[in-house]
């Protein structure tokens, strides 16, 4: 099945305790299908990935960083998924941002986010490895373990944000 093409930028927001921020969401067309995922979202037109990642980070968490401070993506993937009765094929790049701590501010959520995200929390890698809950991307725990233990990024680097 061919999906609607979409580009997205995602952020692995990691605090001083090496916990990653995830949101819990659901597809309004399938409200029983709940899952955890990283901050980020679709790009506007030809928006560069880093610009979209910085914009999404500000909208979804309140953390404002200039796009150039995000550095290079640390990982990318193509994923396919249903949402709102449509099928998408999404190319997404992930940026690693480290903060000592951060109080998440979701007042910048758009209508879709307000209607499909019901929680957020900081996760330790071991919790991700042990959970029976759905987490996207599915290989987030090993990715984080590589990034946080030795910087084994597929590409690029990470930004250290002071808050």
């Amino acid at each position: 099945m061919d999906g609607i093409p979409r580009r997205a930028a995602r952020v692995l927001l990691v605090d001083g305790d090496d916990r990653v921020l995830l949101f819990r969401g659901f597809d309004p067309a399938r409200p029983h299908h709940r899952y955890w995922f990283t901050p980020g979202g679709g790009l506007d037109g030809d928006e560069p990935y880093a610009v979209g990642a910085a914009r999404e980070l500000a909208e979804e968490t309140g953390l404002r960083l200039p796009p150039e401070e995000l550095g290079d993506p640390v990982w990318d993937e193509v994923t396919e998924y249903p949402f709102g009765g449509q099928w998408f094929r999404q190319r997404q790049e992930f940026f690693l941002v480290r903060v000592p701590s951060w109080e998440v501010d979701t007042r910048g959520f758009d209508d879709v986010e307000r209607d499909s995200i019901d929680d957020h929390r900081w996760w330790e890698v071991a919790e991700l490895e042990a959970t029976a809950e759905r987490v996207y991307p599915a290989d987030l725990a090993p990715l984080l373990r590589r990034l946080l233990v030795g910087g084994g990024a597929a590409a690029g680097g990470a930004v250290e944000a002071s808050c």
Side-chain angles (χ1 to χ4, degrees), residues 25-47:
F26 56 94
D27 178 348
R30 301 179 307 144
H32 61 281
H33 184 84
R34 304 218 174 229
Y35 49 89
W36 293 91
F37 62 99
T38 62
L43 301 179
D44 296 332
D46 291 335
E47 183 177 39

Side-chain angles (χ1 to χ4, degrees), residues 78-137:
V78 174
T79 185
E80 295 187 8
Y81 62 93
F83 190 84
Q86 297 182 300
W87 190 261
F88 294 92
R89 180 176 174 78
Q90 177 168 288
R91 181 179 188 285
Q92 51 191 14
E93 292 188 356
F94 291 76
F95 296 84
L96 177 62
V97 174
R98 296 193 67 127
V99 294
S101 64
W102 187 252
E103 186 67 35
V104 176
D105 178 357
T106 60
R107 288 179 290 178
F109 274 8
D110 64 23
D111 289 340
V112 171
E113 291 159 343
R114 278 190 291 278
D115 291 343
S116 64
I117 297 173
D118 64 2
D119 199 6
H120 66 271
R121 67 171 274 220
W122 296 90
W123 290 74
E124 294 177 359
V125 175
E127 291 175 312
L128 290 171
E129 292 168 334
T131 189
E133 296 186 66
R134 287 182 194 94
V135 175
Y136 296 125

Side-chain angles (χ1 to χ4, degrees), residues 6-7 31 55 60-61 84 128 160:
R6 186 172 195 254
R7 295 180 320 124
R55 176 183 50 76
E60 295 179 355
T61 72
L128 290 171
E160 294 274 344

